[in-house]
Amino acid sequence: MSDFSVKPVLTGDRTVLRPFTEADAEVMAGIIADPEVIRFTGPPAAELTLERLRSWYGSRSGQPDRLDLAVTDRATGELAGEVVLYEWDPAARSCTFRTLIGPGGRGRGLGTEATRLVVGHGFEQLGLHRIELEVYRHNFRALRVYEKAGFTVEGVRREADLRDGEWVDWVVMGLLDREWAALRPTAR
């Protein structure tokens, strides 16, 4: 089991996942401020100034315990969002996954492919045993993406968050290495 210090470039048919740089901060600021992103991820815990975002995205490549990758459109190079493997538990060979895709990247399969690419990297290159995530029950697009990638609903944290005056549920999903392996076509 290696750690997360190597920041790969992962290439699919539609997307290229690459390490972040400071230069990505401005585009990510717009994505993070998108009303749909806020609706499904919550408002940022602190004010995200451009300076803070530059520092954050500029420091992602130096983090040995997590993997933050920029999701880009392979055809145009446009930055569409991010995928993150974090909360790494080396003893349990597990981590948590999250993603966010901005308005320019939605509805084109970029999120689905990016999820598969980074999850595959986690299992096949990093030797993870389990990847888990939490998603709002009302985030139907994300639930569908995660199901297509092989994640299974493991439970629901009922009324775990108060959003816009309403209680909302978190759906807990997980994927194990053997389940991922069973989804992959065998090499011939």
Side-chain angles (χ1 to χ4, degrees), residues 3 69 114 126 148-149 170:
D3 67 13
L69 294 175
L126 300 175
K148 283 197 289 189
W170 281 102

Side-chain angles (χ1 to χ4, degrees), residues 113-179:
E113 185 176 81
T115 297
R116 287 184 175 135
L117 285 170
V118 77
V119 164
H121 178 76
F123 288 125
E124 296 162 21
Q125 304 304 316
L126 300 175
L128 292 172
H129 171 64
R130 172 186 166 79
I131 298 175
E132 64 185 53
L133 62 88
E134 287 188 357
V135 58
Y136 282 134
R137 192 197 293 257
H138 62 276
N139 191 346
F140 303 115
R141 178 187 286 126
L143 283 164
R144 182 76 192 108
V145 165
Y146 302 146
E147 285 168 359
K148 283 197 289 189
F151 284 88
T152 301
V153 173
E154 296 181 334
V156 176
R157 294 178 49 221
R158 299 174 305 137
E159 297 185 9
D161 211 349
L162 186 60
R163 296 297 315 279
D164 302 320
E166 289 189 34
W167 291 105
V168 293
D169 297 343
W170 281 102
V171 176
V172 179
M173 302 179 84
L175 181 57
L176 303 176
D177 51 4
R178 64 179 173 271
E179 295 166 338

